[in-house]
Amino acid sequence: MVVDFEVPLSGGDVSEGVVRVGDTVRRPLGAHSPAVHGLLRHLEAVGFDGAPRVLGVDGRGREVLSWVPGEAPRQPLPGFAVSEEALRGVGRLLRRYHEAVASYEAPDGAPWDGETSNLDGEPEVIGHCDVTPENVVFRGGTPVALIDFDLARPTTRLFDVVTALRHWGPIADPADRDAVLYQVDVGRRLRIFCDAYGLERGLRGDVLPAARVRFERSYEAMRIRAESGGGWARMWRGGAGQRILRAQDWLERNWDELDACLW
Ligand SMILES: Nc1ncnc2c1ncn2[C@@H]1O[C@H](COP(=O)(O)OP(=O)(O)OP(=O)(O)O)[C@@H](O)[C@H]1O
Ligand SMILES: [Mg+2]
């Protein structure tokens, strides 16, 4: 008899109790899980291979997702995760995701998480909204899948791009970056990502303003989430709010130089 052990997974900050069991992942269910499962089923139906499959709910009330073979980077980030080739790959992966999700008509009133940090304007797609290095699976140095759709929600493509840039640029004060990203040329990386994604020229001038709005919203959203305790409170106590303020400040100081790189 083959016994599948539960192997704890701890890539990110928020979810507790994420485990691997054989070729599945078990994660706690939340109010948003039915909405996320509908989304993942759509991605499967249209043949998008860059996301885990939903396999159901186990006897302990956890969601069961397929294990995506490969490696999701963890901190301290390995060099392969921050190469320009990886950056291009993430830009292309996000674009493919947006194309796959564009045909998804989410049920009215689906209980998505985190509605508060949406940008103004009509939502265009269900964005992933959390494309961090820890939420991208690589194989052979190439980004192949997005995982952890807990923050997926209706938004604009630009918002999803900007959230990815926050982490992959990164739009962050050097003091708060992972060591391998300390000295990178962020303007150049923003450009590489936007080119790989294929961001229209008409939207390039909106990137930094959207990042500015996003910082304001996410500071507030995170402060409110932290009040509910758990992983968000831990992140807040660990200085997440201060990091957002420093990133905001760094963005304002480097605005013109970054903006010039985007065109
Ligand atoms: N379906 C999957 N296939 C491969 N690896 C996975 C999968 N799900 C999770 N992992 C691994 O487990 C780690 C943690 O999983 P996940 O991102 O779902 O939770 P989390 O990061 O703890 O939550 P959060 O990002 O909300 O803090 C990931 O970074 C990745 O290394
Ligand atoms: Mg994660």
Side-chain angles (χ1 to χ4, degrees), residues 11-15 27 130 132 134-135 147-148:
D13 308 289
V14 171
S15 310
R27 306 173 82 257
D130 197 19
T132 62
E134 292 84 353
N135 289 338
I147 55 172
D148 190 356

Side-chain angles (χ1 to χ4, degrees), residues 40 43 48-53 66-73 80 86 89-94 96-97 128 130-149 168:
L40 293 178
L43 296 175
F48 177 68
D49 59 3
R53 303 294 179 227
S66 63
W67 169 259
V68 181
E71 186 182 350
F80 76 81
V90 178
R92 287 194 291 258
L93 178 60
L94 185 63
R96 281 208 298 126
Y97 166 69
H128 179 283
D130 197 19
V131 183
T132 62
E134 292 84 353
N135 289 338
V136 174
V137 175
F138 283 73
R139 272 202 294 276
T142 303
V144 293
L146 303 173
I147 55 172
D148 190 356
F149 283 73
W168 292 89

Side-chain angles (χ1 to χ4, degrees), residues 8-255:
L9 297 167
S10 58
D13 308 289
V14 171
S15 310
E16 289 170 33
V18 180
V19 296
R20 177 177 178 180
V21 183
D23 56 6
T24 70
V25 173
R26 315 291 168 111
R27 306 173 82 257
L29 285 169
H32 58 284
S33 300
V36 172
H37 291 176
L39 167 66
L40 293 178
R41 290 202 169 96
H42 167 84
L43 296 175
E44 179 173 12
V46 298
F48 177 68
D49 59 3
R53 303 294 179 227
V54 195
L55 303 173
V57 174
D58 72 9
R60 289 166 58 178
R62 301 175 298 190
E63 66 177 0
V64 184
L65 305 177
S66 63
W67 169 259
V68 181
E71 186 182 350
R74 310 171 55 151
Q75 291 174 2
L77 294 178
F80 76 81
V82 300
S83 72
E84 292 188 347
E85 212 29 59
L87 189 62
R88 278 187 202 95
V90 178
R92 287 194 291 258
L93 178 60
L94 185 63
R95 180 58 181 252
R96 281 208 298 126
Y97 166 69
H98 285 165
E99 280 166 7
V101 82
S103 54
Y104 183 47
E105 290 192 24
D108 279 346
W112 304 108
D113 201 350
E115 302 278 1
T116 47
S117 50
N118 209 349
L119 276 186
D120 298 322
E122 274 302 296
E124 299 165 341
V125 291
I126 306 299
H128 179 283
C129 299
D130 197 19
V131 183
T132 62
E134 292 84 353
N135 289 338
V136 174
V137 175
F138 283 73
R139 272 202 294 276
T142 303
V144 293
L146 303 173
I147 55 172
D148 190 356
F149 283 73
D150 281 351
L151 295 185
R153 60 182 179 270
T155 188
T156 58
R157 293 183 302 117
L158 178 68
F159 180 87
D160 226 8
V161 166
V162 164
T163 300
L165 292 176
R166 157 80 170 123
H167 301 285
W168 292 89
I171 304 177
D173 188 291
D176 294 320
R177 293 184 204 159
D178 226 89
V180 284
L181 289 165
Y182 187 71
Q183 299 214 51
V184 293
D185 180 344
V186 175
R188 179 179 158 86
R189 289 175 62 85
L190 300 189
R191 172 68 184 263
I192 289 173
F193 188 96
C194 291
D195 285 351
Y197 175 87
L199 190 73
E200 303 87 308
R201 287 190 72 77
L203 285 176
R204 302 266 171 138
D206 297 336
V207 169
L208 298 188
R212 180 189 271 155
V213 171
R214 188 185 167 277
F215 278 135
E216 285 160 10
R217 300 264 173 90
S218 56
Y219 182 88
E220 240 351 77
M222 203 179 272
R223 193 182 60 75
I224 291 165
R225 280 169 186 264
E227 286 169 7
S228 66
W232 291 101
R234 221 172 25 249
M235 275 167 73
W236 191 255
R237 282 197 304 275
Q242 293 303 314
R243 283 193 291 279
I244 294 175
L245 297 178
R246 281 193 293 271
Q248 250 176 326
D249 191 50
W250 181 85
L251 171 63
E252 299 299 333
R253 279 186 282 117
N254 292 279
W255 187 282

